[in-house]
Amino acid sequence: MDIAAHNTAKDIVELRGLKANLVSVNVEKLVQDGYLDRKSFPGDRRKTILTCTEKAQPIIEKGRRLQNSFYEDIFKDVDTASRENFYHVMEMMEHNLNDILKGSE
């Protein structure tokens, strides 16, 4: 997944399945606190590109370290074939859940 391609509040809502009002409120707080910048989207003044600031970088790095550590902990002693099978099953389940959610709208 190309994170740079997912850089608007709408992308966050769609990608994470969050409510738009919650994303809007929290984006505003992160902008005010200096963790996010807003930039105009070329060719579409209704869209705003969100970018993380330098102030956010230590938090992002800490989050990545925690994710990697957690990943290693939960997959300790799990062989490669089992991991690949797990990922395949999770992808199928994600697809099925997305279909379910689309049907309930």
Side-chain angles (χ1 to χ4, degrees):
M1 169 176 43
D2 180 13
I3 295 298
H6 302 288
N7 57 8
T8 67
K10 182 180 178 185
D11 293 334
I12 296 168
V13 168
E14 291 174 357
L15 189 66
R16 298 294 178 199
L18 301 171
K19 294 192 180 284
N21 63 331
L22 292 177
V23 171
S24 178
V25 166
N26 285 288
V27 163
E28 184 60 35
K29 180 163 177 32
L30 291 169
V31 168
Q32 288 178 2
D33 291 347
Y35 295 103
L36 279 180
D37 278 332
R38 289 187 180 114
K39 295 186 173 111
S40 298
F41 190 87
D44 188 347
R45 61 184 176 85
R46 297 168 298 165
K47 247 184 185 180
T48 303
I49 298 171
L50 302 171
T51 55
C52 295
T53 64
E54 277 301 311
K55 183 177 179 179
Q57 295 311 308
I59 296 167
I60 293 167
E61 285 305 314
K62 183 177 181 181
R64 286 182 178 144
R65 285 192 306 272
L66 286 169
Q67 284 178 330
N68 289 335
S69 175
F70 180 74
Y71 176 85
E72 292 304 318
D73 288 347
I74 64 171
F75 282 106
K76 186 177 79 176
D77 302 325
V78 178
D79 62 77
T80 303
S82 296
R83 285 184 189 202
E84 289 174 4
N85 187 50
F86 172 77
Y87 297 141
H88 177 69
V89 170
M90 291 299 292
E91 286 174 10
M92 291 172 27
M93 291 172 66
E94 179 181 19
H95 175 79
N96 294 340
L97 284 169
N98 286 334
D99 284 349
I100 292 167
L101 290 172
K102 286 178 189 172
S104 67
E105 292 177 350

